[in-house]
Amino acid sequence: MSRYTDANCKLCRREGQKLFLKGERCYSSKCAIERRNYAPGQHGQARKKQSDYGNQLREKQKAKRFYGMQETQFRNLFDKAAKRPGKTGENLLILLETRLDNVVFRLGFASSRKEARQLVTHGHFTVNGKKADIPSMEVKAGDVIKVKEKSQSSPKFKEVKEMSITVPSWMSVDVEKLEGKVVTLPRREDIDTPIAEHLIVELYSK
């Protein structure tokens, strides 16, 4: 599978908004959007009129980059969302939010989705007491996500224990135990990621 290896900050600049790919840096004055709020490249500052297709494509690219996914992964998830009852766009956002790497990020156990993906891959978490090292794993309502006992002594998770963490309404967290729970599946109004999902549906429906 191909992997993006260029500077993450270029992705934020291309989309014209913060995608929060660099953790704490995104909240500081060092953020690329704060310093150079225009697209990268020689013609980045040129004004461009966007077509309907261009708007749809940009929205899809933005969603992919927010959640750190490749095109094939994202398309497969869209097809899965389309087969479920209800609105395809909302189903897609729910599937994105309930990926294990995103849940770890939302619980405050990682400063970015990229870091969460790395921590999951390295086997630092369990789901319902069982080893879970696949970032794309779909987490269900009632699932308990916990940092492994042998990982809790690492500097990273000791630092997490000292933090004040606020989680979305569809989750709960016990920072002392380094344990979180998906209380219920998120609804559209619970998802604050700035994505116009209807544009993605329009793009893939062509």
Side-chain angles (χ1 to χ4, degrees), residues 44-189:
Q45 297 185 64
R47 292 186 177 182
K48 297 177 183 178
K49 186 176 180 181
Q50 199 81 279
S51 65
D52 288 343
Y53 173 78
N55 289 329
Q56 294 161 1
L57 180 62
R58 288 266 55 85
E59 206 63 25
K60 187 259 291 183
Q61 293 294 86
K62 182 171 68 174
K64 278 172 48 185
R65 289 163 177 174
F66 255 119
Y67 292 96
M69 299 176 70
Q70 297 295 327
E71 177 62 35
T72 302
Q73 281 182 307
F74 193 83
R75 181 59 199 250
N76 289 340
L77 203 66
F78 178 86
D79 291 341
K80 187 176 181 179
K83 292 175 182 176
R84 295 192 172 186
K87 296 181 179 179
T88 299
E90 291 186 12
N91 290 342
L92 175 63
L93 288 183
I94 292 169
L95 286 171
L96 289 168
E97 281 292 307
T98 52
R99 281 172 53 100
L100 179 57
D101 54 358
N102 182 73
V103 169
V104 166
F105 166 68
R106 291 290 194 185
L107 287 170
F109 296 157
S111 61
S112 67
R113 290 181 178 88
K114 183 177 181 180
E115 184 185 36
R117 204 153 40 249
Q118 185 179 53
L119 292 172
V120 170
T121 303
H122 289 177
H124 291 295
F125 295 93
T126 62
V127 175
N128 299 329
K130 296 180 180 179
K131 180 182 177 181
D133 56 4
I134 301 175
S136 61
M137 174 184 176
E138 184 183 352
V139 180
K140 305 284 199 311
D143 284 351
V144 175
I145 298 88
K146 187 173 183 178
V147 178
K148 280 185 174 179
E149 294 293 336
K150 65 179 182 180
S151 299
Q152 293 192 14
S153 59
S154 72
K156 165 64 186 176
F157 294 114
K158 282 183 177 178
E159 183 181 324
V160 171
K161 278 190 174 184
E162 297 174 359
M163 295 169 59
S164 176
I165 296 174
T166 302
V167 297
S169 60
W170 52 282
M171 299 172 139
S172 65
V173 65
D174 186 327
V175 180
E176 187 60 35
K177 292 182 179 179
L178 291 175
E179 177 180 293
K181 183 177 181 180
V182 177
V183 179
T184 184
L185 292 180
R187 297 168 299 176
R188 179 62 186 93
E189 55 266 32

Side-chain angles (χ1 to χ4, degrees), residues 4 12 30-31 54 56 77 86 91 96 122 192 199 202:
Y4 179 80
C12 296
K30 293 181 179 179
C31 174
Q56 294 161 1
L77 203 66
N91 290 342
L96 289 168
H122 289 177
D192 60 1
L199 294 178
E202 289 172 6

